Amino acid sequence: METMGNLRRTAYCGELTTEDIGKEIIVAGSIAKSRDLGGVVFADLRDTTGILQLSFDDSSDREVFEKASALKTEYVVIAKGELRRRESINKTIPTGEIELFVTELRILSAAETTPFELRDNIKVKDELRLRYRYLDLRRESMHYPIVLRSRIAKIIRDYYCDNHFCEIETPILIKSTPEGARDYLVPSRVQPGHFYALPQSPQLYKQILMLSGFDRYFQIARCFRDEDLRADRQPEFTQVDMEMSFVSEEDVESMNEGLVKKLFKEVLDVDVPTPFIRMPYAEAMERFGSDKPDTRFGLELKNVTELLKGCEFAVFKGAIEAGGSVRCINAKGLADQLSRKAIDKLTEVVKTYGAKGLAYTRLTADGETSSFEKFLTEEEKLALRKAADVETGDVLLIVADENDEHIFAALGALRLEIAKKCDLINPDQFNFLWVTDFPFFEYSENEGRFMAKHNPFTLPREEDLDKIESDPGSVRARAYDMVLNGCEVGGGSMRINDPAMQERMLKALGFSEERARESFGFLMDAYKFGAPPHGGMAFGFDRLVMLMLKKDSIRDVIAFPKVQNAGEPMSGCPDLVENKQLDELSIQLALPVEEN
């Protein structure tokens, strides 16, 4: 192999234009494709900015032409020559009007045949792509999101810095605290038997920074949660974290609306209207069955419980008498797309979310079919249809249950399933809103107690303070989530800054005084020396980039993601370690015995 010698890149492939014709240029990169046509050789050179055609012919230096004839896919080269206009224009790439007639060529590295073609629109198993991630990332569809991610991070930094925020790094090795997801633990060698935790978020540290007088903080922070993976979740992820002093929730929301507006305009040339809609949690659940509603389409829920009180249909009657409700969705104009067979499949969808079944009425020009209307009086049937605005061409879908949470989950999932099946979603639309006034507490069946829906440091609404002990389920938090197209992209709250209030909330969450001191004593002590009113939020950076690029998984916007078993196929982690390393950490393994 050759070395670069005195050649140094003077331009990037994708940045060259017709205005550069006639200039002497040096470019470097990998060969994406090579074509030897006998007396002429063309090679597509790829670098991080794009493709440029290299050209060689019988007027080329003989040694240069022979090297060009030997070029193969993924060879790494540096080339010098004169930029000229192509005889045959390629309109599919930005540099399709120009080419470099090469006068000097150096082959810096040869390459074996790759295990899959490095081009877009190929069918390759994810396992193989991730095993050879360094090859996968050479493909434009995978390379571009990583480059754009970097650009988005810079815009975020510039925006916050321009608004008087200070970027501060918080520790990666921290104290393990209760609440939240399962921690990743790191054993301490110098303090045997003691463990650090990897941060699930910089929550406590950013509040401490407000108490330290920094006023406005941000960080693009690495966070870790030991939880099951899915399309938009990774064990390690990136969070855009921010906190502000002497503000209200409206100040925090407005600041971050400005960030989103700037991002979408500069990156996508999309004008995001502000201010965003503010929707209370209770309204979001009632209308959409979700605390992260997708508002790009209708199919809103309607409560028809009052209309059906006293009806003789056992499913509705039983749910109402048990203190539950009956709610419906009118799939307006979709009767032709929602056949009886399709409705049966939708029934299976709602059952996975806790519903016992799906009642329906389907009205077409050819007639009506219903799974329940024969059990209603004519007055009840007409009142139901009028309330749900049902007419010919519609499908009325109803779920009844003694537990409203089951209904919301089922109908919330149902409306999304119908929207996807019936192509009701405009993929080019970006609908933002804030969901506000979340419940402070949620009851955990596993823990057998109330837990904080956001975190234990969130301020409850002042008008709900007298309910903390007597009726915790009705206490609302001064918390807010930013929602985009049915995905939560960020969330935050106003924070408690009174030590007495913090102790009260921790007690309500089941913490003994001793346990509260053990877990959060340093924060409670800090409050005693003066704490400004403060609040903030955090964006899921990976998820935000994913949504901006209309990707289906955050793995597509992370350079080296983990897979379903939390492993990383390219390097093979997690892996076994030597006993010597375990001994140094005072660790003995007690692995579960596999049953035969």
Side-chain angles (χ1 to χ4, degrees), residues 119-134:
R119 60 178 179 83
D120 293 337
N121 302 316
I122 56 171
K123 291 185 178 180
V124 182
K125 290 183 178 180
D126 285 351
E127 181 182 348
L128 186 63
R129 287 176 47 216
L130 291 169
R131 181 181 172 191
Y132 294 95
R133 187 62 164 180
Y134 45 86

Side-chain angles (χ1 to χ4, degrees), residues 86-113:
R86 288 176 58 158
E87 291 184 7
S88 178
I89 294 175
N90 181 354
K91 295 183 178 180
T92 63
I93 58 174
T95 59
E97 294 183 58
I98 54 178
E99 65 182 12
L100 188 71
F101 181 69
V102 179
T103 57
E104 187 172 355
L105 175 69
R106 299 191 179 208
I107 299 176
L108 306 177
S109 178
E112 297 180 3
T113 301

Side-chain angles (χ1 to χ4, degrees), residues 14 48 89 100 150 182 242 295 367 403 551 563:
T48 191
I89 294 175
L100 188 71
S150 174
R182 188 184 296 110
M242 60 86 69
T295 58
N403 188 329
K551 297 288 186 179
V563 293

